[in-house]
C-alpha cells in the first residue's frame, strides 16, 4: 500500500466517527498514531460527531459518580480531541438531524461507535409498571444524562430489587444502599442526590440468576459492597454451597475465587444491625413484577437449579416460587444497541453485522464500502471501558487497509450542516461548558455540577458568547 497515492496534496482523507464515547476516541487515536496516516500527502481529517453537546459518552454518563478515577481516561481522550487533525461536532444527531446517506457523501469513511442506547428486557409481566426501570435509564438519571432528567424515580419505598450479576448491577445496588452524604462530594446529579437524601430504602435485594461462581462482577466492585459504612452485606451461607461442577469452575478461575472469598466472609460475619442492608440472592429469577394501581409492589421469584458442565452452566426452574415485597425494581441484565436508518442491523445479536469492523451486507457478507463500526454496536455490550481500545485498533487497521481502494467524497459536511440549519458545538465550546460545570461545583465542594439538559448547555454557551 502506498498512502501517498491516495490524495492530492491539498485534499486530506476525511473520516467521520459517529459517537464520541470511548470506542470512538480509541478508534480515532489508533488512526492518528498509524504510520499510514503520517504518510498521507494530503493529511488526515477526523470529525467526531455526537448527538449531545458533550463528548465522552459512557465515561460521562455511565460511570458511577463515586468512581472518579475511572473517569480520568478523559485526559487521554482530550489529547485526541485537541489534535489539529480532529474536530468535535456535538449536538448533531446522525440519523435524525442528518441522514446516513448524506453523511456518507461528505466523508471517505464513516465509523459508527454509537454504543448501547437501550437495554435488554426481562420479558416478564409487570415489567413496565411505574417503579420498574432499566439500569440504562437509572444510571443515566443519576449521572445527569439529558434524556433522563425527568425519569420518575420514587425512592420513598422501603425495599428495592436489582436484577443482574455484573458491575452495573453492583453500582446500582451500591448507590441505593450507601449513605447519600458519601455521594455529596461527587458529580452525581443534584436531583438524584436530593432524591437519595429522602430515600426510605433500607433493604436492597441483588438478585442473581446463576450461582456465586458465575457472577460477572469484578472482585473490586464486590469488595466495595462489603465495606460500605453502616451497610450490611447479607449472604445466606447455604447459597454458597457448591456442587462438583461449580467447585471445578471455581478452582480454575482466580477472579471468581477472590469474589467467593468476599462472599464467604460476609456470610460468616452475618448481619451487624447496620442501618441498611444489601442482600445477595443466588440461583433465583424474576417471573413477574407485581403491582397495585399501576405501581410496583413486589417481584415474584422462582428458585433455579444449575445444570450443565463447568464453564457452561445454565439454569432450569424448580417450581419453587416466592413473592418479595419491593417498591422499586431495576433490571441490569445488559445494554442493547438500536438500529439506525441506513445501516444493516442484526436484531438477534443487536449489532451491526461486520467483519473486523467493516460493515457487511447481511445477505451476501460483502463489505459495504466506506462503512465501519467500533465498540458495543460492533461486538455487543461486553467488557470494560478499556476493552474498546483493542476494538478500536482492529477497526482502524481495517480502515487503513481499505485506503487505497476508496474514492474522494464530493460534499462538505460544513455545507450539509449549514443547509439543515445545524450549528455544531465544537470542542472549544465544550471546554466552556466543562469550566462552567467545574465552577458551579466548586461553590458546593463538588468536582462539578453537570448541566442536565441540552437547552441549559446551549443557553450557557450563548451567554458566554
Amino acid at each position: 500500500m502506498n498512502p501517498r497515492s491516495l490524495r492530492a496534496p491539498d485534499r486530506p482523507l476525511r473520516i467521520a466517527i459517529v459517537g464520541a464515547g470511548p470506542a470512538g476516541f480509541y478508534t480515532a487515536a489508533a488512526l492518528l498514531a498509524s504510520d499510514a496516516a503520517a504518510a498521507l500527502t494530503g493529511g488526515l481529517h477526523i470529525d467526531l460527531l455526537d448527538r449531545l453537546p458533550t463528548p465522552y459518552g459512557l465515561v460521562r454518563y455511565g460511570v458511577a459518580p463515586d468512581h472518579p478515577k475511572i473517569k480520568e481516561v478523559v485526559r487521554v481522550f482530550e489529547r485526541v480531541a485537541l489534535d489539529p487533525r480532529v474536530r468535535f461536532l456535538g449536538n448533531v444527531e446522525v440519523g435524525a438531524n442528518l441522514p446516513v446517506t448524506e453523511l456518507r457523501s461528505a466523508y471517505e469513511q464513516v465509523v459508527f461507535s454509537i454504543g448501547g442506547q437501550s437495554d435488554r428486557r426481562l420479558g416478564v409481566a409487570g415489567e413496565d409498571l411505574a417503579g420498574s426501570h432499566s439500569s440504562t435509564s437509572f444510571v443515566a438519571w443519576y449521572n445527569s444524562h439529558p434524556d433522563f432528567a425527568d425519569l420518575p424515580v420514587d425512592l420513598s419505598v422501603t425495599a428495592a430489587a436489582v436484577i443482574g450479576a455484573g458491575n452495573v448491577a453492583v453500582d446500582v445496588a451500591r448507590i441505593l444502599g450507601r449513605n447519600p452524604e458519601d455521594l455529596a462530594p461527587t458529580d452525581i446529579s443534584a436531583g438524584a442526590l436530593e432524591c437519595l437524601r429522602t430515600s426510605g430504602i433500607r433493604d436492597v435485594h441483588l438478585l442473581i440468576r446463576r450461582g456465586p461462581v458465575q457472577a460477572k462482577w469484578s472482585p473490586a466492585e464486590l469488595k466495595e459492597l462489603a465495606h460500605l459504612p453502616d451497610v450490611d452485606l447479607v449472604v445466606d451461607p447455604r447459597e454458597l454451597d457448591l456442587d462438583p461442577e461449580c467447585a471445578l469452575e471455581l478452582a480454575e478461575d482466580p477472579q471468581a475465587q477472590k469474589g467467593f472469598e468476599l462472599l464467604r466472609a460476609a456470610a460468616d460475619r452475618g448481619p451487624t444491625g447496620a442501618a441498611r442492608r444489601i442482600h445477595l440472592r443466588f440461583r433465583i429469577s424474576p417471573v413477574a413484577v407485581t403491582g397495585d394501581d399501576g405501581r410496583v409492589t413486589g417481584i415474584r421469584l422462582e428458585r433455579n437449579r444449575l445444570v450443565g458442565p463447568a464453564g457452561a452452566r445454565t439454569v432450569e426452574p424448580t417450581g419453587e416460587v416466592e413473592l418479595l415485597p419491593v417498591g422499586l425494581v431495576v433490571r441490569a441484565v445488559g445494554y442493547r444497541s438500536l438500529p439506525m436508518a441506513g445501516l444493516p442491523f442484526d436484531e438477534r445479536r443487536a449489532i451491526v453485522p461486520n467483519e473486523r469492523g467493516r460493515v457487511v451486507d447481511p445477505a451476501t457478507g460483502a463489505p459495504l464500502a466506506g462503512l465501519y463500526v467500533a465498540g458495543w454496536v460492533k461486538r455487543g455490550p461486553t467488557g470494560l471501558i478499556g476493552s474498546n481500545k483493542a476494538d478500536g485498533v482492529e477497526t482502524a487497521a481495517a480502515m487503513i487497509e481499505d485506503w487505497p481502494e476508496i474514492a474522494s467524497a464530493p460534499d462538505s459536511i460544513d455545507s450539509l450542516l449549514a443547509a439543515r440549519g445545524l450549528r455544531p458545538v465544537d470542542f472549544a465550546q465544550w471546554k466552556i461548558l466543562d469550566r462552567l460545570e467545574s465552577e458551579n461545583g466548586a461553590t458546593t465542594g463538588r468536582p462539578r455540577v453537570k448541566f442536565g439538559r441540552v437547552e441549559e448547555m446551549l443557553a450557557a454557551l450563548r451567554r458566554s458568547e
Side-chain angles (χ1 to χ4, degrees):
M1 180 181 73
N2 179 14
R4 292 182 181 278
S5 66
L6 297 181
R7 289 295 160 266
D10 61 343
R11 179 62 186 276
L13 175 67
R14 297 183 300 188
I15 294 172
I17 299 178
V18 182
F25 272 100
Y26 281 129
T27 304
L31 290 168
L32 294 170
S34 68
D35 292 339
L40 287 170
T41 304
L44 178 65
H45 178 89
I46 299 174
D47 283 340
L48 279 160
L49 293 87
D50 202 281
R51 69 183 185 88
L52 294 177
T54 56
Y56 309 139
L58 198 65
V59 176
R60 178 174 169 90
Y61 294 119
V63 174
D66 54 351
H67 283 173
K69 287 204 171 293
I70 297 176
K71 301 181 184 184
E72 291 178 0
V73 71
V74 300
R75 298 176 184 174
V76 176
F77 299 159
E78 182 166 305
R79 288 198 292 272
V80 172
L82 293 174
D83 188 293
R85 296 169 289 177
V86 175
R87 286 194 306 177
F88 172 65
L89 301 178
N91 203 35
V92 176
E93 186 170 3
V94 175
N97 300 152
L98 186 66
V100 170
T101 51
E102 290 192 22
L103 184 73
R104 291 185 66 182
S105 72
Y107 297 96
E108 281 79 25
Q109 294 176 315
V110 180
V111 185
F112 294 88
S113 57
I114 48 180
Q117 314 97 309
S118 187
D119 61 281
R120 291 177 57 195
R121 293 178 61 82
L122 298 174
V124 302
E127 189 170 6
D128 295 317
L129 288 169
S132 174
H133 304 283
S134 71
S135 60
T136 309
S137 59
F138 193 80
V139 169
W141 168 73
Y142 64 60
N143 276 319
S144 303
H145 194 296
D147 290 353
F148 299 96
D150 298 319
L151 190 71
V153 176
D154 180 5
L155 302 185
S156 65
V157 300
T158 59
V162 181
I163 303 162
N167 285 344
V168 175
V170 174
D171 282 345
V172 172
R174 187 181 67 253
I175 295 296
L176 287 172
R178 78 179 310 162
N179 186 332
E181 297 313 312
D182 293 339
L183 296 168
T186 74
D187 65 355
I188 190 171
S189 156
L193 180 60
E194 289 310 306
C195 194
L196 288 163
R197 279 173 166 157
T198 60
S199 171
I201 294 175
R202 294 297 175 265
D203 290 278
V204 179
H205 301 269
L206 188 52
L207 309 175
I208 298 116
R209 185 173 64 95
R210 294 191 292 172
V213 176
Q214 292 80 32
K216 297 301 183 183
W217 51 51
S218 67
E221 290 268 352
L222 184 60
K223 187 176 181 179
E224 280 190 88
L225 282 191
H227 292 88
L228 285 179
D230 206 20
V231 175
D232 277 336
L233 184 63
V234 182
V235 181
D236 186 337
R238 294 172 297 181
E239 296 202 338
L240 300 183
D241 293 338
L242 304 180
D243 61 20
E245 288 79 9
C246 284
L248 176 61
E249 194 170 325
L250 182 65
E252 297 178 348
D253 188 339
Q255 289 293 94
Q257 291 168 24
K258 293 177 183 178
F260 196 79
E261 290 172 5
L262 290 164
L263 294 172
R264 178 64 69 189
D268 291 344
R269 182 171 58 249
T272 66
R276 297 178 180 85
R277 294 158 294 279
I278 297 177
H279 308 259
L280 298 188
R281 300 283 308 276
F282 297 99
R283 296 186 291 273
I284 203 158
S285 293
V287 292
V289 179
T290 62
D292 182 35
D293 198 25
R295 293 200 61 82
V296 170
T297 58
I299 186 165
R300 186 170 290 113
L301 305 170
E302 184 168 16
R303 173 66 61 181
N304 298 321
R305 67 170 62 91
L306 294 177
V307 296
R313 310 230 68 192
T314 58
V315 301
E316 62 180 26
T318 65
E320 181 184 343
V321 176
E322 67 175 275
L323 180 63
L324 181 67
V326 296
L328 175 73
V329 173
V330 181
R331 62 180 184 272
V333 292
Y335 290 85
R336 179 181 172 87
S337 295
L338 296 175
M340 176 180 287
L343 285 179
F345 193 72
D346 183 333
E347 285 286 352
R348 184 182 64 82
R349 299 175 62 196
I351 62 169
V352 171
N354 71 93
E355 291 290 338
R356 293 177 50 230
R358 293 183 180 94
V359 177
V360 299
D361 184 321
T364 66
L368 299 180
L371 294 181
Y372 304 84
V373 283
W376 284 357
V377 76
K378 170 186 174 184
R379 70 180 191 275
T382 60
L384 305 174
I385 287 171
S387 306
N388 291 291
K389 186 172 184 179
D391 189 279
V393 168
E394 180 184 63
T395 293
M399 296 170 68
I400 292 168
E401 288 174 9
D402 295 344
W403 283 359
E405 308 300 326
I406 58 180
S408 295
D411 295 332
S412 160
I413 187 62
D414 300 299
S415 299
L416 290 175
L417 294 175
R420 289 186 167 270
L422 299 175
R423 296 183 59 191
V425 172
D426 62 24
F427 199 73
Q429 290 173 308
W430 151 245
K431 291 301 293 181
I432 292 172
L433 294 174
D434 182 37
R435 173 177 57 80
L436 292 173
E437 289 185 344
S438 297
E439 289 175 354
N440 291 338
T443 62
T444 55
R446 306 179 64 194
R448 69 176 61 240
V449 173
K450 295 177 185 173
F451 292 103
R453 300 179 188 276
V454 170
E455 297 79 8
E456 294 174 0
M457 300 177 198
L458 300 181
L461 288 176
R462 287 193 294 269
R463 289 193 298 270
S464 72
E465 294 169 353

